[in-house]
Amino acid sequence: NPFGFSNLQDPIVFPHMDIISHLSDDLLLRILSFVPTKDVVATSLLSKRWECLWTSVSKLGYDDSYHHTGDYKNFSQFVYRSLLSNKAPVPDKLHLKLGPDCPFIDVELWINIALSRRVRELEIDLFSKEESFNLPNSLYTSETLEILTLISCVLVNVPSSVCLPSLKTLKLDRVDYTDNDTLPRLLSGCPNLEVLFVERHVGDETTDSIVVAPSLQRLTMLDTHSGTCGRFVVDVPSLKHLEITDSVAYVDLRRMENMPVLEKACVWITSSGVTQEFLKALTSVHRLSLSLSLSEVMMHPSGLTFNQLVHLDLYTLTEGWWDLLTCMLQDSPKLRFLRLSNNKLTSESKETPIGWRQPSSVPECLLSSLEAFVWIGYNGRQGDREIAIYLLKNTACLKTATFSPHSTDLGEKYQMLKVLASVATISASSQLLFD
């Protein structure tokens, strides 16, 4: 037998082997960095070796929701003791998730302790019933801070002098700003910023959305509350990934500068104010998801060429999407994948008009590159059929065409399939799929 016992009836006794105790301190500290700080501190009771090991953990996280109501004093003392006892050469992260019982003076002191220790990542998530927490000025001049996340009741009050040379990632999630110049001033002091996330909330009193960041590579802007704002300006020449979701009407037209290295973009704008110049900034993109509320000008954009576009998701939620589809087909000579989508959580898209205007000539992408076509939320109405039949008849390289109807009625789905299956396609090897 593999254990070397001469008599299997004898009791099997294994020598004591504490696997964890044989791990190196570096590996143990790495494991502990994924454990809540309150549990990390508790490991000091395990043995002599563990007694001080916790003081070298480089990631600290405090959540006051774990302490009992009315017992905030013990929580505060625990944070102070563990913060001041930490001996990690360079703290990697401090995460504070605090509720309304936490005095702002404590939050400021804890942040300053971390900054004085040259912390690399700081996440502050606050909930307050009355006012927002005003960040200490020392935060805006940290030489070592690489990742900064601010969530909820935080006031971004940027001083005149901002210098965050190491900051690579900035997340501003439903925070408050002193005025319209706050965000641009903050970004001006982040010369190496690569990732920016900005989500606005209903109570945000600022009116402008201005992002000017030459080094930025990934930008997410979310603003889903309705209303009227002032300016929307995005100037990010190094951008590779873009996501914009908003329903805000801007007094001035939205302006985006050209993005020559843009790889992927998701633009979902349900309000007015999108211009041809706005769309022109996206012409270098490789993958594009697009949902726009279109003006008469935007229904027929001209002079745009999406030379690098290979994957297009077009949402069929607003009137006029069919004309934008025509233009995108004509202006995207290398398009390989096309998906039309109607979000099933919303109301059905408006009827495609009878007499849909076909392109004056078959777009180049249909003749030479389009390989896959998907229509999610296909309704099989006259206008829908006209578009579907045109694509099936004129796409020379098509491999698969997949239709996913809204209707769950088997009879209706069968009739839709019957109509589409009768269409002769240029590509003899293409497959028609019905989901």
Side-chain angles (χ1 to χ4, degrees), residues 339-388:
R339 177 163 59 192
L340 304 179
S341 180
N342 180 13
N343 188 339
K344 296 183 180 181
L345 297 177
T346 67
S347 59
E348 293 186 357
S349 58
K350 295 178 183 278
E351 172 70 52
T352 309
I354 297 174
W356 167 66
R357 287 173 293 185
Q358 299 181 3
S360 55
S361 59
V362 179
E364 182 180 343
C365 66
L366 300 187
L367 295 175
S368 62
S369 61
L370 192 68
E371 298 178 355
F373 169 52
V374 175
W375 194 329
I376 298 174
Y378 178 72
N379 284 305
R381 299 167 297 190
Q382 180 172 339
D384 301 324
R385 291 196 303 271
E386 291 176 3
I387 294 175

Side-chain angles (χ1 to χ4, degrees), residues 321-331 356-359:
W321 66 264
W322 46 86
D323 289 320
L324 182 58
L325 170 64
T326 300
C327 294
M328 292 300 296
L329 290 175
Q330 290 174 319
D331 298 333
W356 167 66
R357 287 173 293 185
Q358 299 181 3

Side-chain angles (χ1 to χ4, degrees), residues 61-62 79 94-98 107 110-111 123-126:
Y62 303 98
V79 176
L94 172 64
H95 177 199
L96 299 173
K97 185 175 183 181
L98 307 171
V107 182
W110 295 337
I111 292 174
E123 181 173 343
I124 305 169
D125 183 353
L126 300 181

Side-chain angles (χ1 to χ4, degrees), residues 17-297:
M17 181 177 292
D18 184 353
I19 298 177
I20 295 181
S21 295
H22 285 76
L23 299 178
S24 66
D25 283 357
D26 288 344
L27 186 53
L28 288 176
L29 289 173
R30 179 170 175 77
I31 294 172
L32 289 175
S33 69
F34 296 98
V35 177
T37 298
K38 66 181 185 66
D39 296 326
V40 171
V41 175
T43 63
S44 62
L45 303 176
L46 293 177
S47 69
K48 187 73 173 178
R49 183 190 179 192
W50 290 83
E51 187 175 350
C52 296
L53 188 65
W54 67 272
T55 62
S56 297
V57 174
S58 61
K59 294 183 180 180
L60 301 174
Y62 303 98
D63 184 344
D64 72 353
S65 63
Y66 292 128
H67 83 275
H68 301 294
T69 303
D71 190 27
Y72 177 77
K73 182 179 179 181
N74 286 337
F75 171 78
S76 176
Q77 290 177 345
F78 169 75
V79 176
Y80 277 112
R81 285 199 303 267
S82 56
L83 261 180
L84 294 173
S85 299
N86 187 270
K87 300 174 183 177
V90 178
D92 285 331
K93 180 177 181 178
L94 172 64
H95 177 199
L96 299 173
K97 185 175 183 181
L98 307 171
D101 292 339
C102 183
F104 287 164
I105 184 63
D106 281 347
V107 182
E108 183 174 356
L109 285 171
W110 295 337
I111 292 174
N112 279 324
I113 291 172
L115 293 172
S116 68
R117 297 283 313 283
R118 302 176 69 82
V119 68
R120 291 174 178 155
E121 180 176 355
L122 188 60
E123 181 173 343
I124 305 169
D125 183 353
L126 300 181
F127 173 72
S128 173
K129 295 179 180 179
E130 298 180 358
E131 58 181 334
S132 294
F133 169 65
N134 195 348
L135 295 165
N137 284 349
S138 57
L139 184 143
Y140 299 107
T141 55
S142 170
E143 296 181 354
T144 59
L145 199 59
E146 298 176 9
I147 302 174
L148 175 61
T149 301
L150 306 176
I151 303 174
S152 195
C153 300
V154 176
L155 176 64
V156 183
N157 184 11
V158 182
S160 57
S161 178
V162 184
C163 185
L164 295 166
S166 301
L167 195 67
K168 298 291 184 66
T169 299
L170 174 61
K171 182 176 181 180
L172 304 172
D173 187 350
R174 293 164 289 129
V175 300
D176 295 315
Y177 306 91
T178 306
D179 53 37
N180 284 323
D181 295 329
T182 299
L183 180 57
R185 186 161 62 249
L186 174 57
L187 296 180
S188 69
C190 307
N192 297 303
L193 191 66
E194 296 178 355
V195 179
L196 174 62
F197 174 97
V198 178
E199 180 173 358
R200 299 182 64 176
H201 64 100
V202 176
D204 186 356
E205 297 181 356
T206 55
T207 60
D208 292 352
S209 293
I210 300 177
V211 175
V212 179
S215 61
L216 201 65
Q217 297 182 24
R218 183 182 293 269
L219 171 63
T220 301
M221 301 178 70
L222 306 179
D223 191 353
T224 54
H225 77 277
S226 59
T228 301
C229 288
R231 295 176 295 167
F232 180 100
V233 178
V234 174
D235 186 354
V236 281
S238 300
L239 201 69
K240 295 180 179 179
H241 299 270
L242 170 68
E243 180 180 353
I244 296 176
T245 301
D246 80 44
S247 55
V248 178
Y250 285 89
V251 175
D252 291 337
L253 295 177
R254 288 181 175 84
R255 181 168 67 85
M256 285 203 305
E257 299 296 333
N258 190 33
M259 305 170 188
V261 295
L262 190 64
E263 297 175 0
K264 184 177 181 179
C266 178
V267 179
W268 189 300
I269 298 176
T270 58
S271 60
S272 59
V274 175
T275 65
Q276 183 167 315
E277 287 301 313
F278 180 93
L279 200 57
K280 185 178 180 180
L282 305 174
T283 51
S284 298
V285 72
H286 294 229
R287 297 173 62 94
L288 176 63
S289 295
L290 201 58
S291 178
L292 299 176
S293 180
L294 302 174
S295 63
E296 287 297 321
V297 175

